[in-house]
């Protein structure tokens, strides 16, 4: 319980006293709690409930408790009925259809853009994988041909072997790039598309 709650309840419980006496008692305990400083919570526990303190004050003053005393601000706040929850009525079907038709240029453009990005990304990844596979296969073939030609034509064999090794090196770099794209770039792009979809259509679904 906070100091404010304690004093408000104490003021309510002292309703049988006149206003001046009640204000004086509340001010006394307010100053008493303030003097506690950091031990405010401990002092509040030692004092007891506001009703117990009020009963002691009324007994010392020789005043009978007034059960019909006007409720103070704290009691009024607790007794105030909760405001009814306003339920949102769902949008009728015809309104949803009209809204979809009216907004069709907007969401069709967005869907077309997203589809183009997805198709372009898929095509890029597919082309990259095919290119890497071609480099690796071509490198192996050229390197094997170079080893075969080195017996009969050393010069041509060295050229073929060097070309094959270059293809293999480029293919290995392509493999590293593919791994990076699949592990880092692709999840990031998919997450961005998912967030974009939620921002564009998530709120509309809630509204419907």
């Amino acid at each position: 319980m906070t100091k404010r709650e304690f004093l408000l309840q104490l003021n309510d419980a002292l309703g049988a006293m006149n206003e001046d006496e009640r204000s004086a008692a509340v001010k006394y305990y307010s100053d008493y709690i303030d003097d506690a400083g950091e031990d405010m919570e401990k002092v509040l526990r030692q004092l007891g409930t506001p009703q117990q303190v009020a009963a002691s004050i009324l007994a010392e003053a020789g005043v009978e408790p007034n059960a019909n005393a006007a409720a103070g601000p704290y009691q009024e706040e607790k007794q105030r009925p909760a405001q009814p929850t306003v339920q949102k009525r769902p949008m009728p079907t015809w309104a949803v259809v009209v809204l979809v038709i009216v907004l069709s240029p907007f969401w069709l453009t967005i869907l077309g853009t997203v589809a183009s990005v997805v198709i372009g990304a898929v095509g890029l990844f597919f082309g990259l994988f095919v290119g890497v596979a071609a480099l690796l296969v071509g490198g192996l073939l050229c390197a094997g041909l170079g080893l075969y030609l080195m017996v009969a034509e050393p010069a041509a064999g060295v050229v073929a072997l060097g070309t094959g090794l270059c293809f293999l090196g480029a293919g290995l770099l392509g493999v590293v790039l593919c791994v990076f794209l699949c592990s880092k770039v692709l999840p990031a792009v998919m997450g961005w598309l998912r967030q974009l979809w939620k921002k564009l259509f998530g709120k509309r679904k809630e509204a419907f």
Side-chain angles (χ1 to χ4, degrees):
M1 178 180 295
T2 64
K3 172 190 171 184
R4 178 177 179 274
E5 293 174 344
F6 180 89
L7 295 177
L8 287 174
Q9 293 187 39
L10 178 62
N11 182 76
D12 296 341
L14 295 175
M17 302 180 70
N18 60 52
E19 185 176 354
D20 293 337
E21 293 176 342
R22 186 167 64 250
S23 299
V26 172
K27 184 177 186 306
Y28 169 79
Y29 279 94
S30 177
D31 295 338
Y32 181 79
I33 295 172
D34 288 338
D35 293 339
E38 297 180 355
D39 296 330
M40 182 180 300
E41 295 182 359
K42 181 179 178 181
V43 170
L44 288 174
R45 289 194 300 269
Q46 292 176 349
L47 288 174
T49 65
Q51 290 73 21
Q52 293 174 343
V53 176
S56 176
I57 296 174
L58 293 175
E60 292 179 0
V63 178
E64 291 294 332
N66 185 4
N68 297 324
Y74 181 78
Q75 292 180 353
E76 290 179 355
E77 182 178 352
K78 292 182 65 176
Q79 296 174 358
R80 185 178 302 142
Q83 295 182 355
T85 303
V86 180
Q87 296 183 353
K88 296 182 179 180
R89 298 181 60 184
M91 186 177 295
T93 304
W94 65 266
V96 175
V97 174
V98 172
L99 185 62
V100 170
I101 294 174
V102 171
L103 296 178
S104 59
F106 172 76
W107 61 264
L108 284 176
T109 302
I110 297 298
L111 287 179
T113 303
V114 173
S116 299
V117 172
V118 172
I119 294 173
V122 172
L124 177 63
F125 278 100
F126 181 76
L128 181 60
F129 292 148
V130 172
V132 170
L135 286 174
L136 292 175
V137 173
L140 289 175
L141 292 176
C142 286
L145 180 62
L147 292 175
Y148 174 77
L149 291 176
M150 287 183 68
V151 178
E153 300 180 8
V158 170
V159 172
L161 179 62
T163 302
L165 293 177
C166 290
F167 284 170
L168 286 174
L172 292 176
L173 290 178
V175 171
V176 174
L177 179 59
C178 290
V179 172
F180 173 77
L181 291 176
C182 292
S183 61
K184 301 295 183 180
V185 178
L186 185 59
V189 172
M190 296 303 296
W192 177 80
L193 291 175
R194 191 180 302 111
Q195 292 296 328
L196 179 62
W197 180 269
K198 289 182 179 180
K199 289 181 180 180
L200 292 177
F201 301 101
K203 294 183 178 179
R204 302 184 193 280
K205 291 182 179 179
E206 293 177 359
F208 296 159

